Amino acid sequence: ISGEVRGPVRHLRSGNLVVSSKSGNTFLSIGNVKVDGLPNAKNTIISADVNNCNTTGNDLAEIISSINNSQKIEFLQNLTPFTKYNFSGTVKGKFDDLFAAGELSSSVGTLMLSANIKRGAKAAGRTQVEGYVDSQNFDLGAITGNRVIGDVTAKAALKVIAGGRGGVSVAMDSVRINKLVYNGYAYSNIYAKGKYQNESFDGKVICHDQNLDMMFQGYISLNSKTTRKYNFYANIPYADLAATHLDTRDSVSVISTSMQADFTQSPKNDVFGYLNINNATYINSSGNYDIGPVKAVSKFESGKYIIDFTSNFAKGEYEGTGKVTDFIGKIKSLIIYRNFSNLLETRVRNTFGST
C-alpha cells in the first residue's frame, strides 16, 4: 500500500491510495477514501472512488481467501485465470457488506453492474453478490470454458452465492437476453427466471427468436455423476433446427410440438418415469410428417424393467431384465430410422435381440 493518509484512526481520509498484491497481478488505485469506525473493524464504514482496479480471477480468490482465512472460491479460480479484469466505479459500506457500482471490462467484454457484496457471517460463511448486470457482447464461452457458447448481450437481476460446500448458485429474478450466440447461431428475445445450482436449473425460459418460439418451465439436472431428474413442461410452436445449426443433415428441418416429462436417469443410464409428446410435426426437404402424440412410461418392478410405448406409428410393451436404455436404442434403430431416416446418419441392424 502506498499513499498519504491523514486524520485520527477513527476518521481516516486519503486523496489517493495505491494497492498491489504480492503476486503483482492485482493493482488498485482509489481516491476520495473515507474510513470511519476503526479500530472496530466490524462496524467500520468505508467509501471510495475506484479509479482503476486490475486483477485476475485466481488472484482475487487468493485475496478473499487470505482476508477470510477460508478456502479459495473455486468459481473465481476457474474464471479464465489468464484474463485481466478492470473495474472502475464507487464502493461504499462495511468490509463484509459492501455496495459497488461501475464498469467491469476485460478482453472478453464489458459489464455495467451495481451489486451488494456480502461475505462471512453476513452470508452464512460464504460470498454473496446480489444486484444488476448489463452486458454488451460479453464472451460467455471464454468465461465458462465452453466454446460452443459465444457473445451475450443481456440485462439481469441476479443473486450469486459462492464458496463453501454448496458450490455456486445463481438465482435469476429476471433475465432478458437480447443476444446469445450458441453453436454459431445468435438467438434473441430470451427471457428467464429461476435458479441454477449444482448443474441443475429450476425455473422458466421463454424464447421468441425468429427461428425458435418456445416456452420451458420446470426442473432439469445435467450432473452425470448423480441421478438426474427431469420434471418439466415445454411448448415449442416453431423450431427451425437447420437455421439454428442444431440439425446440419438437411437444409430444411423444422419441428413443432409440446411435451410433459417427469423421469429420472441414473449414472448407469437407467431411466424411470414418463414422457408425453403432443401434436408433434416435422418438416424436412422430403416432406411433412405428422408424428402425432407419443407416450412412454418406464418403471422397475420385481426385478424387471417395464416400458409402455404408444404412438400413431407404433405401439409396444417391454418387460425384461435388460436395461431400458438398451431397449430404447433398438426401438430407435427399428422405428425412427424407418420413418424419419434423416434423423440418423448411419445404417442400423434390423433386430431386437432377446427380451
Side-chain angles (χ1 to χ4, degrees):
I1 300 177
S2 62
E4 182 179 321
V5 179
R6 63 184 183 278
V9 172
R10 66 179 182 275
H11 297 299
L12 296 177
R13 301 290 185 268
S14 176
N16 185 62
L17 285 177
V18 175
V19 182
S20 59
S21 66
K22 183 179 179 180
S23 67
N25 291 324
T26 296
F27 173 84
L28 172 64
S29 173
I30 54 178
N32 194 25
V33 181
K34 298 178 182 179
V35 182
D36 296 309
L38 290 175
N40 186 347
K42 184 178 181 180
N43 294 316
T44 294
I45 302 294
I46 63 173
S47 66
D49 296 329
V50 181
N51 302 319
N52 184 20
C53 176
N54 281 289
T55 189
T56 64
N58 191 57
D59 214 42
L60 185 59
E62 180 74 36
I63 293 170
I64 294 174
S65 174
S66 62
I67 294 174
N68 288 351
N69 192 26
S70 61
Q71 292 184 342
K72 296 180 183 179
I73 300 174
E74 185 177 356
F75 172 74
L76 292 176
Q77 287 182 289
N78 297 332
L79 194 63
T80 51
F82 301 107
T83 299
K84 281 273 192 176
Y85 297 90
N86 178 270
F87 176 77
S88 60
T90 60
V91 295
K92 185 175 183 179
K94 297 181 179 181
F95 290 111
D96 60 353
D97 192 355
L98 194 67
F99 177 81
E103 179 181 281
L104 179 68
S105 60
S106 71
S107 59
V108 298
T110 301
L111 297 176
M112 298 300 296
L113 57 87
S114 60
N116 180 233
I117 306 168
K118 296 182 179 181
R119 59 182 180 82
K122 290 283 187 178
R126 308 176 70 188
T127 299
Q128 173 182 300
V129 180
E130 182 175 8
Y132 297 89
V133 178
D134 187 344
S135 71
Q136 293 293 326
N137 294 318
F138 196 76
D139 192 346
L140 192 60
I143 292 293
T144 61
N146 186 348
R147 299 311 304 178
V148 176
I149 305 173
D151 292 351
V152 60
T153 296
K155 294 181 179 181
L158 306 171
K159 178 190 286 187
V160 180
I161 301 177
R165 297 180 179 179
V168 177
S169 70
V170 182
M172 297 170 279
D173 182 61
S174 63
V175 177
R176 178 174 180 175
I177 301 175
N178 295 320
K179 173 187 175 184
L180 173 62
V181 177
Y182 181 82
N183 198 31
Y185 178 78
Y187 293 87
S188 61
N189 297 321
I190 302 173
Y191 306 86
K193 183 176 183 178
K195 184 176 183 179
Y196 177 85
Q197 184 175 17
N198 297 328
E199 297 186 53
S200 299
F201 174 76
D202 186 3
K204 185 175 185 177
V205 178
I206 297 173
C207 179
H208 293 310
D209 182 79
Q210 62 178 344
N211 289 309
L212 177 61
D213 189 15
M214 62 86 69
M215 187 278 288
F216 168 94
Q217 184 167 0
Y219 179 90
I220 183 170
S221 173
L222 302 175
N223 189 343
S224 60
K225 296 180 180 179
T226 63
T227 296
R228 287 169 280 182
K229 182 176 177 60
Y230 305 85
N231 187 351
F232 64 85
Y233 169 78
N235 184 30
I236 310 173
Y238 180 81
D240 190 330
L241 304 183
T244 55
H245 307 158
L246 297 176
D247 184 0
T248 59
R249 290 164 290 197
D250 197 331
S251 59
V252 179
S253 183
V254 178
I255 64 169
S256 175
T257 187
S258 64
M259 64 183 71
Q260 302 91 31
D262 186 2
F263 63 91
T264 60
Q265 183 177 7
S266 73
K268 295 182 179 180
N269 287 327
D270 292 326
V271 178
F272 305 114
Y274 75 85
L275 172 66
N276 292 337
I277 301 175
N278 306 309
N279 303 319
T281 61
Y282 179 72
I283 303 172
N284 65 10
S285 57
S286 298
N288 297 2
Y289 300 90
D290 184 7
I291 303 172
V294 178
K295 297 183 179 180
V297 178
S298 172
K299 54 187 176 180
F300 185 77
E301 292 180 352
S302 303
K304 293 183 178 181
Y305 296 93
I306 301 171
I307 282 185
D308 186 5
F309 182 86
T310 305
S311 71
N312 286 347
F313 54 86
K315 294 182 181 180
E317 294 181 356
Y318 170 85
E319 181 176 328
T321 57
K323 285 190 175 183
V324 173
T325 48
D326 294 339
F327 175 71
I328 293 176
K330 293 175 182 180
I331 285 289
K332 182 173 71 174
S333 300
L334 266 177
I335 300 175
I336 298 181
Y337 181 78
R338 281 182 173 181
N339 289 274
F340 317 108
S341 59
N342 74 296
L343 295 179
L344 298 175
E345 293 181 305
T346 58
R347 290 189 175 274
V348 293
R349 292 179 301 172
N350 186 12
T351 177
F352 272 108
S354 60
T355 62

